[in-house]
Amino acid sequence: MKIIISPAKRINEDQGYPAPSSLPQLLTKTQILLAVLKSLSYEQLKLLLNTGDNIAKLIFQGYQNLDLQTQTAAALTSYDGIQYKYMAPQVFTAQEWHYVQEHLRILSGFYGILKPLDGIKQHRLEMGAKTKDILGENLYSFWGDSIYKALADDVIVNLASEEYAKNIKPYLKKNDTFLTCVFGELSQGKIKEKGVYVKMARGSMVRFMAENKIDKIQDLKNFSALGFSFAEKLSLPQQYVFLR
């Protein structure tokens, strides 16, 4: 079983523990991306990142001198967002770290796919970035099926946003199990997803899986954090719905 999640926009590199233990699996393709990004002018990069001057200047300067293999930090504790705060990997036990290192994968526009203890550097490149004028059609075509192949598992629990899950879906095989977890509220007979609560629930779900060493999809039904509970009548074999 593999669990897929999205990255966060914000990255903190000053996390001292745990130390990274490996390099990203698709680093060769990341090197290609980095060379392209280094070749862009400041204005081109700012437009690509769709961000303000302060962040764009930091990223532009960072890319010019970026060394992907030295002074890296562990991916899972480097990303700083709501999902990661509710996952709280900083307080994982050794057994929980072992679980996520084996089962959890972070999808990334820049790195493709990451294990929790892969060493990463400060970067910013969302999967949905409009790269047509600099890199071909888009990052989905750039990464192709390499991310799916790197998962190397026929059971996938999808806790990623659609922007990142789109890297996997086109390549699924007939015998693959691809289970998406939906977190929402019932309003006028329809499921409404609220972004903040979804991110909180995704992080909490990873923590629940790590704490309980979940290795069977049906055991996800026991998740009950943040007021969410499994909605049997609204769920499907490929989609588990949790309502609050």
Side-chain angles (χ1 to χ4, degrees):
M1 176 191 291
K2 291 293 188 296
I3 310 155
I4 58 171
I5 61 173
S6 305
K9 291 182 181 179
R10 181 179 172 84
I11 298 173
N12 294 321
E13 288 186 322
D14 58 352
Q15 305 293 333
Y17 176 84
S21 62
S22 56
L23 292 173
Q25 188 172 346
L26 302 179
L27 194 61
T28 299
K29 289 181 75 70
T30 301
Q31 295 279 15
I32 296 171
L33 275 180
L34 180 58
V36 173
L37 294 169
K38 283 184 175 182
S39 72
L40 299 181
S41 69
Y42 168 74
E43 290 299 332
Q44 286 176 314
L45 184 63
K46 180 183 174 183
L47 183 63
L48 176 66
L49 299 180
N50 189 28
T51 189
D53 282 318
N54 290 339
I55 293 176
K57 286 177 182 177
L58 287 173
I59 298 299
F60 178 78
Q61 294 168 358
Y63 278 151
Q64 299 309 307
N65 304 302
L66 191 59
D67 181 345
L68 296 172
Q69 299 190 43
T70 61
Q71 296 181 316
T72 59
L76 193 60
T77 51
S78 294
Y79 285 115
D80 183 7
I82 294 172
Q83 173 182 223
Y84 293 85
K85 290 183 186 302
Y86 277 78
M87 191 189 311
Q90 292 83 357
V91 293
F92 276 166
T93 65
Q95 289 183 333
E96 288 161 358
W97 269 111
H98 179 78
Y99 178 90
V100 294
Q101 182 69 359
E102 181 178 353
H103 296 283
L104 183 65
R105 297 295 179 266
I106 306 165
L107 307 189
S108 164
F110 187 66
Y111 284 104
I113 189 169
L114 294 163
K115 295 179 181 179
L117 292 176
D118 281 351
I120 66 170
K121 299 295 289 285
Q122 185 74 239
H123 64 279
R124 183 155 179 164
L125 185 64
E126 295 179 46
M127 192 63 75
K130 297 178 180 178
T131 62
K132 185 174 182 180
D133 293 334
I134 62 169
L135 196 69
E137 186 176 353
N138 52 44
L139 286 174
Y140 299 108
S141 60
F142 173 79
W143 289 110
D145 65 352
S146 60
I147 296 175
Y148 169 78
K149 287 182 176 179
L151 283 172
D153 206 307
D154 58 3
V155 178
I156 302 167
V157 176
N158 175 29
L159 296 176
S161 65
E162 182 61 18
E163 177 183 357
Y164 288 89
K166 281 168 62 177
N167 280 288
I168 307 299
K169 290 181 177 180
Y171 307 105
L172 292 170
K173 294 180 171 56
K174 183 178 179 180
N175 293 327
D176 287 342
T177 296
F178 188 81
L179 175 72
T180 297
C181 292
V182 174
F183 303 95
E185 299 175 4
L186 205 56
S187 176
Q188 297 181 341
K190 295 183 179 180
I191 301 170
K192 301 291 185 181
E193 296 179 85
K194 296 182 179 180
V196 172
Y197 289 112
V198 171
K199 292 175 182 179
M200 291 164 58
R202 287 170 174 165
S204 297
M205 176 65 88
V206 174
R207 168 157 284 282
F208 164 77
M209 295 178 75
E211 287 176 342
N212 294 280
K213 302 179 183 63
I214 300 296
D215 60 5
K216 296 178 181 178
I217 278 181
Q218 57 266 33
D219 290 339
L220 296 179
K221 298 177 182 180
N222 296 321
F223 175 75
S224 61
L226 305 172
F228 285 99
S229 60
F230 180 66
E232 183 82 46
K233 293 182 179 179
L234 296 174
S235 296
L236 300 168
Q238 301 297 322
Q239 180 176 282
Y240 280 6
V241 175
F242 299 84
L243 298 180
R244 63 188 298 271

